[in-house]
């Protein structure tokens, strides 16, 4: 595609197979060699002369959430071919939640680097990213945004729901619910084994508004997923059609030069943050959006996000905040139905991957009566799906998903019962001698970004067995970790700075009193400053931990050197944009003005 620099000359950039030639010191030979090898796979010169769309294949035997990847690739290729392009698929890392040790979040940034570098390294004019399971879509958006070539995000789609003894079930809210019932001895060994075979009824991503569904919806709100592309279940014809359309559109945007930096703007991120709140989305969504925004040069202002939260109702009635499943959202019109309700609160002039604005896409949707997406005047939760907390326990902030919390615990003071790390938790939580009462506050340290490492979804601490068996279903729980988007409870997460970096969480001791006030947005450790100073001094006097058995090396070394805290999206410091150009939400107009001014210089 020709480009016109500021001096008025026209530069024709290489496209297709001529892009990014391998350096042999002779460009003619480089192209000759590249063609010779790919012809070995049976391509003709005519095929190789076309616009090339790379298709990121994240199919993996270890990733059932991407089990439909072969069908999606076939449909994308068909769409590319229909539009006159040539599709070439290539693999990258694939991450599935329950198959990734120590935790999938540890690998997200590695996948983003793989995605970015393989897009840069291989000749392609546009890319279709096939992702679905929790960390894959954020990793792909982070990597492809940094590579900044035209892209379309394609979602694998949610799994179907199953049935257990007459009850509809789906991963993973019901996985947790049944496990909780088993721990409380409400169901026996036979039933927990039986339901294990019913919770996941097909390939695809978790069937509730967990992190995967959240990121699919946020992709559509950002305008980088095709309209209606977030909700079709994995095994439906609608999903395959979206794949074909994504392929077609990928060719189209090479003609118009629609690069991600024109779509992933401050306004788009504000829209996505708004949608995160309105769908009752996963708390992980805020970390991933922060990371993606950081690649484009935007900081997320969490205080402004909290103000946005206070004026944004939760409209989507899906588990874990509500009743329904992703396939119900699809039958109810999917994201276009949500966006139509939210219309007054969105930036309608934000550009989408179709080349039309978000407002134009919303106007194209014809609403119909349904009960899953509530009218803005009759929400399932009035405001503030996610609240941002501050206090002496979390100077850098913490969050709570109040739409999935127990209203009776959101103003609560209690005695801390502290677990130093995951191993300590595992060894004592079910000890019949554990000194714990229902109105205590469970605190888990050292599960933050650097501490675990990888910030595992261990923030959903189990209710101690001795309390669970008496019917206790929820307690206030606090940690520097994350929680699955499929989980629910009065759970304070992402305490920043984390304990491993010496945050105040490291100073909490069993018996301290902690006060949570969601209405005041505060989380306070009720211990005097003098005593905290004494504890900090004692902490620094402790002997350094014994040197690890083997010297730190490889990816783990890179991770620990570069990982940022939750308020920076847990991205690696060196992967974020080299220059920050604005803050979201609440500052989109300012950021756009600044960008315009820069363009005019
Ligand atoms: Fe993949 Fe839930 S485990 S989406």
């Amino acid at each position: 595609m020709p480009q016109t620099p500021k001096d008025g000359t026209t530069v024709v950039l290489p496209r297709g197979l001529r892009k990014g030639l391998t350096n042999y010191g002779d460009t003619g030979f480089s192209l000759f060699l590249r063609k010779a090898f790919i012809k070995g796979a049976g391509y003709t010169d005519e095929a190789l002369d076309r616009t090339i769309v790379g298709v990121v294949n994240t199919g993996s035997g270890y990733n059932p959430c991407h089990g439909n990847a072969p069908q999606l690739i076939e449909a994308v290729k068909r769409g590319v071919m229909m539009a006159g392009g040539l599709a070439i698929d290539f693999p990258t890392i694939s991450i599935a939640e329950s198959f990734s040790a120590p935790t999938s979040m540890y690998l997200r940034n590695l996948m983003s680097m793989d995605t970015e570098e393989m897009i840069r390294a291989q000749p392609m004019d546009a890319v279709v990213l096939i992702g679905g399971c929790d960390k894959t879509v954020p990793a792909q958006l982070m990597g492809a945004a940094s590579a900044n070539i035209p892209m379309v995000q394609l979602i694998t789609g949610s799994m179907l729901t199953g049935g257990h003894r007459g009850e509809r079930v789906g991963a993973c809210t019901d996985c947790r619910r049944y496990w909780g019932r088993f721990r409380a001895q409400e169901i026996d060994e036979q039933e927990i084994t039986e339901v294990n075979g019913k919770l996941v009824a097909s390939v695809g991503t978790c069937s509730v508004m967990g992190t995967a569904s959240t990121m699919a919806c946020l992709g559509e709100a950002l305008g980088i997923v095709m309209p209606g592309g977030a909700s079709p279940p994995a095994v439906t014809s609608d999903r395959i059609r979206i794949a074909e359309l994504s392929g077609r559109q990928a060719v189209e945007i090479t003609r118009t030069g629609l690069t991600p930096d024109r779509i992933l703007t401050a306004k788009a991120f504000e829209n996505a943050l708004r949608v995160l709140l309105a769908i009752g989305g996963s708390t992980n969504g805020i970390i991933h959006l922060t990371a993606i925004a950081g690649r484009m040069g935007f900081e997320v202002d969490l205080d402004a996000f909290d103000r946005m939260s206070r004026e944004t109702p939760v409209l989507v009635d899906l588990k874990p905040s509500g009743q329904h499943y992703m396939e119900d959202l699809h039958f109810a019109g999917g994201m276009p139905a949500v966006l139509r309700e939210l219309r007054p609160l969105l930036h309608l002039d934000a550009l989408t991957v179709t080349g039309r604005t978000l407002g134009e896409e919303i106007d194209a949707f014809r609403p119909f009566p349904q009960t899953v997406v509530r009218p803005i005047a009759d929400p399932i939760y009035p405001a503030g799906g996610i609240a941002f907390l501050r206090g002496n326990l979390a100077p850098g902030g913490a969050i709570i998903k109040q739409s999935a919390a127990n209203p009776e615990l959101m103003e609560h003071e209690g005695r801390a019962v502290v677990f130093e790390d995951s191993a300590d938790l595992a060894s004592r939580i079910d000890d019949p001698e554990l000194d714990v009462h229902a109105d205590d506050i469970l605190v888990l340290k050292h599960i933050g970004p650097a501490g675990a490492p990888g910030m595992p979804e261990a923030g959903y601490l189990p209710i101690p067995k001795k309390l669970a068996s008496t019917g206790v279903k929820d307690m206030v729980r606090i940690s520097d970790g994350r929680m699955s988007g499929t989980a629910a409870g009065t759970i304070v997460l992402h305490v920043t700075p984390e304990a491993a970096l010496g945050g105040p969480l490291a100073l909490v001791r069993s018996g301290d009193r902690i006060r949570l006030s969601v209405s005041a947005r505060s989380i306070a450790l009720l211990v005097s400053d003098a005593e905290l100073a004494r504890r900090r001094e004692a902490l620094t006097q402790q002997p350094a931990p014994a040197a690890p058995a083997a010297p730190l090396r490889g990816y783990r070394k890179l991770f620990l050197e570069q990982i940022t805290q939750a308020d920076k999206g847990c991205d690696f410091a060196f992967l974020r944009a080299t220059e920050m150009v604005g803050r979201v939400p609440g500052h989109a107009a300012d950021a756009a003005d600044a960008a315009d001014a820069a363009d005019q210089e």
Side-chain angles (χ1 to χ4, degrees):
M1 192 194 65
Q3 289 201 343
T4 307
K6 286 177 180 166
D7 65 3
T9 56
T10 298
V11 178
V12 178
L13 297 174
R15 51 170 282 277
L17 219 57
R18 289 168 177 76
K19 278 189 81 177
L21 289 173
T22 313
N23 187 356
Y24 293 112
D26 175 344
T27 53
F29 178 69
S30 296
L31 182 60
F32 172 77
L33 203 64
R34 175 174 286 176
K35 280 187 142 184
F37 273 94
I38 200 161
K39 281 180 178 173
Y43 289 90
T44 62
D45 278 313
E46 188 196 344
L48 295 176
D49 218 27
R50 292 186 171 200
T51 293
I52 295 179
V53 175
V55 184
V56 180
N57 179 1
T58 49
S60 160
Y62 286 108
N63 195 347
C65 305
H66 294 200
N68 59 343
Q71 292 92 332
L72 294 180
I73 291 168
E74 184 190 334
V76 171
K77 285 186 167 179
R78 185 167 66 241
V80 171
M81 188 74 83
M82 286 163 65
L86 172 69
I88 301 181
D89 66 294
F90 64 98
T92 68
I93 293 170
S94 186
I95 307 171
E97 282 301 297
S98 49
F99 289 87
S100 304
T103 172
S104 60
M105 188 66 172
Y106 178 67
L107 300 167
R108 184 201 63 179
N109 296 348
L110 183 63
M111 183 175 173
S112 85
M113 290 165 66
D114 183 5
T115 304
E116 176 181 348
E117 295 307 325
M118 294 318 287
I119 289 173
R120 284 189 198 284
Q122 301 172 130
M124 64 191 80
D125 302 294
V127 64
V128 176
L129 308 148
I130 301 178
C133 195
D134 295 15
K135 305 305 176 295
T136 60
V137 171
Q140 291 183 324
L141 289 178
M142 291 160 70
S146 295
N148 201 33
I149 71 164
M151 67 161 162
V152 182
Q153 178 74 56
L154 173 61
I155 305 298
T156 58
S158 60
M159 63 181 69
L160 299 179
T161 51
H164 169 66
R165 299 189 181 180
E167 189 189 350
R168 193 179 183 207
V169 293
C172 222
T173 304
D174 295 325
C175 311
R176 296 174 196 286
R177 186 165 59 83
Y178 272 92
W179 190 250
R181 292 184 63 198
F182 177 61
R183 280 177 56 82
Q185 295 162 358
E186 291 172 14
I187 62 173
D188 60 15
E189 196 79 45
Q190 186 189 339
E191 184 167 359
I192 195 71
T193 305
E194 197 181 310
V195 77
N196 187 253
K198 306 291 184 190
L199 288 159
V200 179
S202 74
V203 297
T205 57
C206 287
S207 56
V208 297
M209 190 51 81
T211 305
S213 303
T214 298
M215 292 312 300
C217 294
L218 298 187
E220 198 169 328
L222 284 168
I224 207 77
V225 167
M226 291 295 285
S231 62
V235 296
T236 59
S237 55
D238 281 348
R239 173 55 60 200
I240 301 293
R241 267 187 291 276
I242 288 289
E244 184 186 294
L245 287 170
S246 299
R248 288 188 72 130
Q249 191 58 27
V251 178
E252 180 59 29
I253 56 180
T254 65
R255 297 188 179 120
T256 56
L258 187 52
T259 42
D261 56 348
R262 294 178 56 201
I263 298 172
L264 301 177
T265 60
K267 289 182 179 179
F269 286 111
E270 287 202 13
N271 285 340
L273 289 164
R274 181 79 71 183
V275 165
L276 171 64
L277 295 161
I279 60 177
S282 162
T283 47
N284 290 317
I286 186 71
I287 291 187
H288 297 319
L289 267 182
T290 301
I292 300 162
R295 297 296 183 99
M296 303 308 291
F298 299 108
E299 302 272 11
V300 172
D301 179 340
L302 291 168
D303 291 301
F305 174 67
D306 188 71
R307 289 194 291 278
M308 175 187 263
S309 174
R310 289 173 189 265
E311 61 184 40
T312 307
V314 179
L315 301 179
V316 179
D317 191 4
L318 252 61
K319 293 185 177 199
S321 297
Q323 295 304 312
H324 297 285
Y325 295 87
M326 268 309 270
E327 61 197 68
D328 304 320
L329 175 61
H330 183 56
F331 298 145
M335 277 304 290
V338 179
L339 295 170
R340 190 173 185 281
E341 279 304 320
L342 274 184
R343 204 177 193 285
L345 300 175
L346 296 174
H347 295 290
L348 300 174
D349 56 343
L351 197 58
T352 76
V353 74
T354 62
R356 296 180 290 273
T357 64
L358 190 69
E360 288 173 314
E361 294 300 346
I362 292 172
D363 290 343
F365 174 71
R366 294 284 162 267
F368 50 85
Q370 46 79 33
T371 56
V372 179
V373 181
R374 301 276 277 270
I376 202 160
D378 180 27
I380 67 161
Y381 197 82
I386 297 174
F388 179 61
L389 311 171
R390 277 195 200 271
N392 68 341
L393 189 52
I399 60 169
I400 183 168
K401 184 173 178 177
Q402 52 175 336
S403 62
N406 180 349
E408 289 167 15
L409 288 174
M410 289 205 285
E411 305 296 319
H412 184 76
E413 183 183 318
R415 188 184 64 137
V417 176
V418 176
F419 301 92
E420 290 299 323
D421 53 30
S422 298
D424 185 29
L425 176 80
S427 71
R428 293 195 295 126
I429 189 75
D430 289 338
D431 184 344
E433 302 302 315
L434 181 68
D435 178 14
V436 64
H437 304 281
D439 58 354
D440 288 339
I441 293 178
L442 304 180
V443 176
L444 176 57
K445 304 176 184 177
H446 293 106
I447 58 164
M455 208 180 184
E457 291 183 339
Y460 177 75
L461 280 71
I463 303 295
K465 212 170 209 167
K466 66 190 267 189
L467 298 178
S469 59
T470 64
V472 176
K473 298 273 188 244
D474 194 12
M475 297 172 73
V476 175
R477 288 159 269 179
I478 299 173
S479 75
D480 46 9
R482 298 178 301 115
M483 123 177 139
S484 163
T486 62
T490 313
I491 300 174
V492 177
L493 302 155
H494 310 179
V495 169
T496 304
E498 62 176 299
L501 298 190
L505 189 68
L507 308 178
V508 185
R509 293 179 181 171
S510 286
D512 289 348
R513 295 199 70 78
I514 293 175
R515 185 186 303 136
L516 167 68
S517 172
V518 179
S519 64
R521 300 296 197 259
S522 81
I523 181 83
L525 176 60
L526 305 179
V527 173
S528 71
D529 289 346
E531 171 59 18
L532 290 177
R534 268 193 295 278
R535 291 184 191 179
R536 183 165 297 288
E537 181 62 24
L539 203 63
T540 55
Q541 300 296 318
Q542 281 179 5
L552 206 51
R553 60 166 293 282
Y555 179 67
R556 192 179 177 99
K557 184 170 193 291
L558 177 72
F559 185 99
L560 291 174
E561 286 172 358
Q562 290 291 330
I563 191 70
T564 59
Q565 294 286 282
D567 59 350
K568 298 280 184 281
C570 302
D571 200 358
F572 289 158
F574 73 93
L575 291 175
R576 284 162 55 82
T578 50
E579 189 186 353
M580 289 294 149
V581 296
R583 290 168 72 77
V584 291
H587 308 272
D590 302 348
D593 291 348
D596 286 348
D599 278 351
Q600 283 161 15
E601 277 173 14

